């Protein structure tokens, strides 16, 4: 399903009006017709599943038939501070950061950055970089478009993240992965997390000291030295996994009753089976995660588990 973004003021009840370059893309590139379905996001976390109802010269109107307020965003906001690399690498980093769930990308002019942008060039670059972020968000079905900010110096970037809940700077001389694991496990829903990545050639020692003084923890990404375009992707991937698959194991297990349905909060109807289900608790709803044929779960508002192969009656 093709994906587009609109502003909230383009949504009127069930009708969503698309304007701008996306109109030409829908009409002349994708050659979509009335009745075809598309996904539209308001950029604030709500997704609308729509059918095209009108195609005009400068607008496309779609009617929403389903709405998803949970979206596909990570439960924490991840801020990628990226030391400026060469042009093609920066574009690649922005695209992949958008796909991996970064909330914002902050270009940083570090001392070893090869690229130097004057005010005129920077304005054009920022416009292009935000277009790439939007493209990555569309491709990965994000509910928001991650913003690429203006270029900041190292000290300004460190100050920008002063109120973040957790801040990390991958550094080749940092101690082992055990410390990285401890920090990553501290990441929880609702947090603002900063990741500070050096340019080609890495950070100067002084910059690492400044970052540490500003509350950025030096962390290791393993025994290998990663390129600047790899380090941020590795860190974002680790954090994405922590937020979407982590959370620990709780003692209570909710399993199907005689009717094959288990509702969260209805423990008295449940029976215990399955030796080692992987479960976690989110927003007071216990979820059962077990990759086994016949199990289906839904996070909100209740958990439904049907046709469990070991269901007890």
């Amino acid at each position: 399903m093709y994906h587009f973004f609109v502003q909230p003021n383009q949504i009127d009840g069930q009708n969503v009006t698309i304007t701008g370059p996306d109109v030409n893309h829908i009409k002349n590139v994708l050659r979509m017709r009335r009745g075809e379905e598309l996904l539209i996001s308001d950029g604030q976390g709500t997704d609308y599943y729509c059918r095209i109802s009108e195609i005009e010269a400068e607008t496309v109107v779609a009617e929403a038939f389903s709405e998803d307020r949970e979206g596909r965003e990570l439960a924490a906001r991840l801020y990628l501070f990226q030391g400026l690399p060469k042009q093609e690498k920066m574009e690649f980093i922005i695209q992949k950061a958008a796909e991996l769930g970064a909330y914002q990308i902050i270009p940083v002019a570090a001392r070893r950055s090869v690229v130097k942008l004057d005010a005129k060039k920077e304005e054009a670059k920022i416009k292009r970089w935000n277009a790439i972020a939007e493209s990555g968000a569309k491709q990965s079905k994000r509910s928001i478009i991650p913003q690429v900010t203006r270029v900041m110096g190292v000290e300004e970037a460190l100050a920008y993240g002063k109120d973040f809940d957790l801040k990390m700077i991958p550094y080749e001389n940092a101690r082992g992965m055990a410390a990285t694991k401890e920090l990553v496990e501290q990441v929880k829903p609702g947090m603002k997390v900063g990741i500070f990545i050096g340019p080609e050639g890495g950070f100067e020692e002084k910059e690492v000291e400044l970052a540490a003084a500003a509350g950025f923890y030096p962390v290791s990404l393993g025994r290998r030295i990663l390129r600047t375009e790899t380090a941020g992707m590795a860190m974002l991937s680790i954090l994405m996994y922590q937020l979407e698959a982590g959370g620990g194991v709780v003692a209570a297990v909710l399993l199907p009753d005689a009717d094959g349905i288990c509702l969260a909060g209805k423990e008295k109807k449940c029976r215990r089976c399955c030796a080692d289900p992987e479960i976690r608790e989110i927003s007071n709803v216990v979820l059962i995660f077990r990759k086994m044929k016949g199990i289906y779960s839904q996070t909100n508002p209740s958990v439904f588990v049907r046709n469990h192969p070991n269901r007890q009656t």
Side-chain angles (χ1 to χ4, degrees), residues 15-310:
N15 291 325
V16 183
T17 302
I18 299 172
T19 60
D22 284 338
V23 173
N24 179 66
H25 191 66
I26 290 171
K27 290 169 53 179
N28 301 319
V29 179
L30 301 178
R31 297 185 180 277
M32 298 186 75
R33 297 290 181 262
R34 291 181 181 85
E36 292 193 63
E37 296 182 0
L38 40 76
L39 173 65
I40 300 176
S41 300
D42 66 0
Q44 297 186 348
T46 303
D47 298 328
Y48 299 86
Y49 294 88
C50 305
R51 292 188 185 91
I52 296 174
S53 57
E54 298 177 23
I55 299 178
E56 304 296 341
E58 297 184 356
T59 62
V60 172
V61 179
E63 183 177 356
F65 61 84
S66 180
E67 182 178 312
D68 179 7
R69 293 188 178 274
E70 291 188 8
R72 296 170 175 81
E73 294 306 304
L74 296 176
R77 291 185 173 182
L78 307 184
Y79 294 76
L80 177 64
F81 295 84
Q82 176 63 53
L84 281 175
K86 295 177 182 177
Q87 176 181 344
E88 65 276 7
K89 290 185 179 181
M90 189 63 181
E91 294 182 358
F92 174 83
I93 289 166
I94 290 168
Q95 182 190 61
K96 300 310 172 188
E99 293 175 16
L100 287 168
Y103 180 77
Q104 195 174 79
I105 299 111
I106 303 96
V108 179
R111 290 170 187 169
R112 290 179 179 168
S113 291
V114 175
V115 176
K116 307 294 181 184
L117 299 177
D118 58 32
K120 186 176 181 180
K121 287 183 178 179
E122 179 180 336
E123 184 179 353
K125 287 291 186 187
I126 298 302
K127 184 176 180 180
R128 175 166 174 78
W129 288 342
N130 275 289
I132 291 170
E134 180 176 354
S135 176
K138 287 179 178 178
Q139 187 277 325
S140 56
K141 301 294 190 289
R142 293 282 301 272
S143 299
I144 68 164
I145 301 171
Q147 178 196 17
V148 183
T149 72
R150 62 180 178 82
V151 178
M152 300 183 189
V154 171
E155 293 186 12
E156 184 183 6
L158 294 174
Y160 184 79
K162 65 183 177 67
D163 294 326
F164 288 5
D165 300 293
L166 186 63
K167 298 172 281 191
M168 293 172 278
I169 175 169
Y171 183 48
E172 61 194 61
N173 294 327
R175 59 196 179 102
M177 289 290 282
T180 305
K181 183 174 182 291
E182 289 177 11
L183 277 174
V184 168
E185 288 176 346
Q186 294 177 27
V187 177
K188 303 297 179 186
M191 280 187 167
K192 296 172 73 174
V193 181
I195 308 157
F196 211 65
I197 304 295
E200 292 131 326
F203 289 114
E204 290 187 356
E205 190 77 24
K206 181 64 175 177
E207 291 173 320
V208 177
E209 292 173 2
L210 287 172
F216 281 78
Y217 292 95
V219 296
S220 171
L221 291 178
R223 300 172 184 171
R224 294 148 299 281
I225 305 300
L226 303 183
R227 293 177 182 269
T228 184
E229 65 268 31
T230 309
M233 303 307 101
M235 198 73 248
L236 286 171
S237 298
I238 291 168
L239 292 170
M240 181 181 67
Y241 179 82
Q242 167 66 15
L243 287 164
E244 295 197 332
V249 176
V250 296
V253 180
L254 298 181
L255 293 170
D257 63 5
D259 297 322
I261 299 176
C262 178
L263 301 178
K266 304 284 186 179
E267 292 92 338
K268 62 183 180 180
K269 287 188 175 182
C270 299
R271 301 290 187 273
R272 188 180 180 92
C273 61
C274 282
D276 295 303
E278 297 176 71
I279 59 176
R280 63 185 171 123
E281 188 172 9
I282 297 180
S283 302
N284 299 319
V285 177
V286 178
L287 309 180
I288 299 175
F289 291 91
R290 188 178 179 88
K291 294 181 179 178
M292 181 184 296
K293 183 178 180 181
I295 297 184
Y296 306 89
S297 64
Q298 176 177 316
T299 60
N300 189 31
S302 300
V303 178
F304 297 87
V305 183
R306 294 187 176 85
N307 303 322
H308 195 293
N310 294 333

